[in-house]
Amino acid sequence: MGSLEVSDLVVRLKGFEVHVDGVRVDGKVVLLGHNGSGKTTLLRCIAGLIKPLRGNITVNGSDVTGLPPERRSIAYMPQRVPLIRMRPREIVKTFTRMWGLDWERFRESPVMSRLLNKDHLSGGEYKVLLLNVCLMREPSVMLLDEPTSHLDWPNRKFFWAELKRVRVPFLYVTHDPLEAAEIGDEVIFMREGKIAGPFAIDDRPESLYEGTNIYKLYAKYVGV
Amino acid sequence: MKLQPILLASLSLISIYLAALIVLPVINTPLMIFQDDAIAAIVNSALTSTVAALIATPVGSVLAYFTMNGSRRFLTPLIMFPIAIPHTAIGVLLLPLVRGLGAIDTWIAIVLAMLIVSTPLSFATVRGALKSMGPELNEFLRPLGVKEYWVYWFYTRSSLQSHVLGLLLAWLRSFSELGAFLIIAHRPVTAGIYIYESFLMGGLAYTIGASLLLVGIAVIFATLLVLIGERDG
């Protein structure tokens, strides 16, 4: 299992400052906060897409602060990844060819096998495909920026189910407390560029969702 | 529903304009002469436009990707300026180069002028598509160690229809060029030069046939543009 540590990190972007005293990611960690609280800025800085003013980022104990994104062993899924206009099979084949990987290996998982036989994917399926593309590189840590923010309920469930199978530690950004409880083991809160936590997540929202009348009606008339 | 009267009025005005554009010169011309060399001039224009568009599209695409983000976007005015100046000025600017190459009144001069005037259109079309895709694809691919040329490939592959649109626009712009040719390439005869010279020598009767043929070709290409543009969304 990989790990990510951030210490005394200061990032300034368009007059807004993010200051993180310390964060450790070695499991399923959720970063929870309002829109504009600095979550995406922090993730982009950890990924190496923005330079910090000061501070340290280490992956598996090695300092990666000055390294370019491709040498950090961090996979980053931005909030809005545009559609790669290719068939799912072509996308995966392109990446396997690019990285010299065995294409057949990615057809072993039942979910991937199903996705690769489709011509068009739903939003959630596309995100799951990208998640698997990230995993092809065997990153030490994954950063996921609101990957389900534009997805409907069944697609969110599908993405969460796939994410739960991932063994790579991840930092998952959301502004939905129930989503945080659904997928995380720990939660960090962010407000106006500063963080609080981590806190262990004890409650699971399945019973909360599935026990409600609206969920039963949704399942009956729309399907999950 | 409120738009319907405005739409009808607009369509009526366009129809009247097109009818006048096509019918009035024919009525006013006692004898319409369609010379064989008109076809040769149009074929010349079509062939050279094809060569220019096939070069302008990849050039525009690479420039669009190169200037998508960061300080390099300030190069955009240098690429777009041919749209903003009279094309005779482009001919003047190209003259020393074309003269240096010994290429005045050659295919090279024609294609070079077409390339300069059409690249901004393919560039702008592809750039619009890349801008709408945003930097996120790059930000997803770079941490995964995807090399720059593969990132470009993914952007291109995902905006293929805009590239086709850019190709058609570049072709149309090249096909309609005249200004630069007046300075550097009267020969081989292209459509614009043919109409200009025929009008000077013989008046309306000698030019109306070729002009109408050009309208037909332009309408076909413009229809293709609309169809591809709508498919692209």
Side-chain angles (χ1 to χ4, degrees):
Chain A
M1 285 276 274
S3 68
L4 165 77
E5 271 186 82
V6 177
S7 56
D8 193 27
L9 191 79
V10 178
V11 197
R12 197 173 291 150
L13 193 70
K14 293 175 184 170
F16 182 76
E17 191 170 285
V18 173
H19 189 168
V20 177
D21 293 330
V23 166
R24 183 176 170 81
V25 178
D26 52 9
K28 297 171 180 178
V29 183
V30 180
L31 180 59
L32 195 58
H34 293 307
N35 290 334
S37 59
K39 307 185 296 293
T40 297
T41 303
L42 176 62
L43 251 62
R44 293 181 74 226
C45 181
I46 295 171
L49 300 164
I50 308 174
K51 282 184 182 167
L53 286 180
R54 66 162 198 264
N56 285 93
I57 302 162
T58 60
V59 174
N60 300 334
S62 302
D63 189 350
V64 299
T65 319
L67 295 182
E70 60 273 21
R71 291 180 55 200
R72 294 185 174 211
S73 191
I74 296 174
Y76 171 55
M77 196 189 285
Q79 189 178 347
R80 182 190 150 266
V81 184
L83 199 62
I84 300 171
R85 293 192 181 184
M86 294 158 71
R87 289 198 182 97
R89 196 179 310 131
E90 284 179 76
I91 294 175
V92 173
K93 272 191 172 175
T94 305
F95 281 107
T96 52
R97 200 172 63 232
M98 195 193 306
W99 292 327
L101 301 171
D102 179 16
W103 139 259
E104 292 297 331
R105 214 181 91 200
F106 297 95
R107 303 178 67 181
E108 285 168 9
S109 126
V111 170
M112 279 301 275
S113 173
R114 184 167 64 80
L115 297 187
L116 294 175
N117 283 326
K118 288 188 163 191
D119 284 338
H120 301 286
L121 300 180
S122 69
E125 289 170 333
Y126 182 62
K127 289 283 173 82
V128 166
L129 188 86
L130 294 187
L131 183 71
N132 279 281
V133 167
C134 289
L135 292 171
M136 279 181 193
R137 289 299 266 172
E138 297 176 353
S140 299
V141 183
M142 291 183 68
L143 307 172
L144 303 145
D145 193 356
E146 298 185 33
T148 62
S149 60
H150 299 293
L151 301 183
D152 60 22
W153 177 246
N155 272 302
R156 285 180 139 207
K157 292 269 288 181
F158 177 59
F159 186 83
W160 292 339
E162 280 306 296
L163 191 62
K164 281 174 185 170
R165 293 145 51 102
V166 170
R167 295 181 193 284
V168 177
F170 61 74
L171 182 60
Y172 187 106
V173 162
T174 180
H175 45 69
D176 178 357
L178 289 178
E179 181 173 25
E182 174 77 32
I183 52 122
D185 291 332
E186 282 184 322
V187 62
I188 299 166
F189 294 99
M190 190 158 210
R191 186 177 178 180
E192 292 171 3
K194 301 218 167 22
I195 62 162
F199 303 99
I201 299 171
D202 298 328
D203 307 312
R204 293 294 163 197
E206 283 94 347
S207 57
L208 181 65
Y209 284 133
E210 291 168 20
T212 59
N213 180 37
I214 188 75
Y215 182 90
K216 284 172 188 159
L217 290 170
Y218 193 104
K220 184 177 176 186
Y221 292 107
V222 181
V224 288
Chain B
M1 294 305 281
K2 267 185 179 177
L3 275 176
Q4 216 172 13
I6 299 169
L7 187 70
L8 281 172
S10 305
L11 283 175
S12 306
L13 281 173
I14 292 168
S15 306
I16 292 165
Y17 167 73
L18 281 177
L21 193 74
I22 294 165
V23 174
L24 282 179
V26 179
I27 293 169
N28 286 334
T29 310
L31 179 67
M32 197 169 89
I33 301 160
F34 194 86
Q35 295 171 303
D36 287 344
D37 50 0
I39 298 291
I42 290 170
V43 169
N44 284 348
S45 276
L47 289 176
T48 44
S49 299
T50 306
V51 174
L54 286 174
I55 300 170
T57 306
V59 169
S61 169
V62 171
L63 288 173
Y65 177 75
F66 185 72
T67 58
M68 195 165 74
N69 296 309
S71 56
R72 288 179 297 195
R73 68 182 186 277
F74 293 110
L75 292 172
T76 302
L78 292 176
I79 301 161
M80 294 296 288
F81 85 90
I83 282 181
I85 61 172
H87 287 179
T88 41
I90 290 171
V92 169
L93 293 171
L94 276 173
L95 189 58
L97 173 70
V98 175
R99 193 180 278 155
L101 292 170
I104 287 182
D105 283 343
T106 64
W107 296 104
I108 294 170
I110 291 172
V111 171
L112 205 58
M114 285 178 164
L115 200 57
I116 300 293
V117 299
S118 64
T119 300
L121 291 178
S122 62
F123 166 80
T125 311
V126 174
R127 191 168 189 266
L130 298 188
K131 288 279 278 181
S132 73
M133 290 170 74
E136 287 85 355
L137 185 57
N138 182 35
E139 293 184 352
F140 172 72
L141 295 171
R142 272 188 65 204
L144 295 175
V146 176
K147 301 265 186 251
E148 186 82 23
Y149 53 85
W150 274 108
V151 175
Y152 168 70
W153 187 86
F154 274 110
Y155 270 101
T156 308
R157 188 65 176 76
S158 302
S159 58
L160 217 50
Q161 279 170 311
S162 294
H163 280 75
V164 175
L165 210 60
L167 180 88
L168 285 174
L169 276 171
W171 192 92
L172 271 177
R173 185 62 204 85
S174 300
F175 189 70
S176 64
E177 179 54 21
L178 168 66
F181 298 161
L182 289 173
I183 310 293
I184 58 169
H186 281 248
R187 295 291 179 275
V189 178
T190 43
I193 290 284
Y194 172 81
I195 288 170
Y196 176 71
E197 290 181 347
S198 300
F199 183 75
L200 289 182
M201 287 187 292
L204 198 58
Y206 280 85
T207 55
I208 191 68
S211 299
L212 289 178
L213 191 58
L214 289 176
V215 170
I217 293 168
V219 167
I220 290 168
F221 266 78
T223 309
L224 274 175
L225 279 175
V226 171
L227 291 174
I228 293 169
E230 278 179 0
R231 246 188 100 190
D232 204 19

